[in-house]
């Protein structure tokens, strides 16, 4: 199953490609922005997961 950030990235890529195909620069830019937002969200999710793992690891040692 795709996560929200993966779906947003795919939607952004589709929007970017549609903008390129139609010559719509605004749509192309929106697609690139959507992809960038998805990348940031994905990085934040990974950081939260690593922080939770580290916290759990420290908890297990005590």
């Amino acid at each position: 199953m795709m996560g929200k950030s993966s779906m947003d990235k795919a939607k952004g890529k589709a929007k970017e490609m549609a903008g390129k195909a139609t010559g719509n620069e605004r749509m192309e830019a929106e697609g690139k922005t959507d992809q960038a937002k998805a990348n940031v969200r994905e990085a934040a999710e990974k950081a939260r997961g690593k922080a939770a793992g580290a916290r759990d690891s420290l908890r297990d040692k005590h």
Side-chain angles (χ1 to χ4, degrees):
M1 188 168 122
M2 292 179 83
K4 180 164 176 44
S5 59
S6 296
M7 289 189 312
D8 288 344
K9 222 184 291 190
K11 287 179 188 177
K13 188 66 175 175
K15 190 184 284 188
E16 176 188 0
M17 299 310 289
K20 280 184 181 180
T22 61
N24 186 332
E25 292 177 4
R26 181 176 176 175
M27 183 183 289
E28 183 179 347
E30 286 178 6
K32 288 180 181 181
T33 300
D34 291 347
Q35 290 175 74
K37 287 179 185 177
N39 286 333
V40 169
R41 180 180 295 118
E42 187 174 58
E45 290 169 357
K46 285 181 183 179
R48 274 194 297 274
K50 286 184 180 184
R55 183 186 63 233
D56 292 344
S57 176
L58 290 172
R59 187 179 308 145
D60 292 343
K61 288 183 181 181
H62 294 297

